[in-house]
């Protein structure tokens, strides 16, 4: 799980980095950064997320990501198809929130396994 969390952390860092020229970087940069932070903790210092306040904070971040998935869920037909998300920003934003939620759930697995 440490390797998986490390890989997901690097991917989220790259996602945050490519947001630099996006007008809404102030939102998406931190969203990806929070996912990278938690997966980084799970990869490099899994004991950190055993601390009760950290578990609560991780749970709150996952709940916020779940809300984000519901809020940003793509309404475009066939949003998963490359020709759609390549052109439609709302589809990319919805997929981005889904990716962050999955990343946080992966970090939570580490948190629960070590309890």
């Amino acid at each position: 799980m440490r390797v998986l969390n490390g890989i997901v952390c690097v991917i989220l860092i790259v996602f945050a980095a490519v947001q630099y020229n996006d007008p809404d970087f102030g939102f998406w940069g931190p969203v990806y950064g929070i996912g990278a932070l938690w997966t980084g903790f799970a990869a490099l210092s899994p004991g950190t997320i055993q601390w009760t306040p950290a578990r609560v904070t991780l749970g709150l971040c996952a709940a916020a990501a779940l809300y984000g998935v519901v809020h940003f869920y793509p309404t475009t037909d066939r949003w998963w198809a490359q020709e759609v998300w390549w052109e439609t920003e709302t589809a990319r934003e919805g997929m981005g929130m889904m990716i962050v939620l999955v990343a946080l759930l992966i970090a939570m697995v580490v948190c629960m396994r070590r309890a």
Side-chain angles (χ1 to χ4, degrees), residues 69-81:
V69 167
V70 171
H71 179 74
F72 288 103
Y73 195 83
T75 56
T76 309
D77 290 336
R78 294 178 22 100
W79 56 266
W80 60 86

Side-chain angles (χ1 to χ4, degrees), residues 10-67:
V10 169
I11 290 170
L12 290 175
I13 289 170
V14 169
F15 283 4
V18 299
Q19 296 295 317
Y20 74 94
N21 65 348
D22 196 330
D24 50 2
F25 169 77
F27 179 77
W28 289 104
V31 166
Y32 290 127
I34 288 169
L37 177 75
W38 285 110
T39 54
F41 278 144
L44 301 175
S45 179
T48 302
I49 55 180
Q50 288 213 316
W51 187 47
T52 302
R55 285 179 170 205
V56 170
T57 306
L58 174 56
L60 290 172
C61 288
L66 179 60
Y67 171 79

Side-chain angles (χ1 to χ4, degrees), residues 77-109:
D77 290 336
R78 294 178 22 100
W79 56 266
W80 60 86
Q82 181 179 3
E83 60 272 6
V84 174
W85 59 259
W86 191 259
E87 297 293 328
T88 309
E89 184 173 6
T90 57
R92 288 191 302 274
E93 289 175 345
M95 291 170 65
M97 286 306 297
M98 291 175 203
I99 291 167
V100 170
L101 177 61
V102 168
L104 292 173
L105 293 176
I106 291 170
M108 288 181 80
V109 167

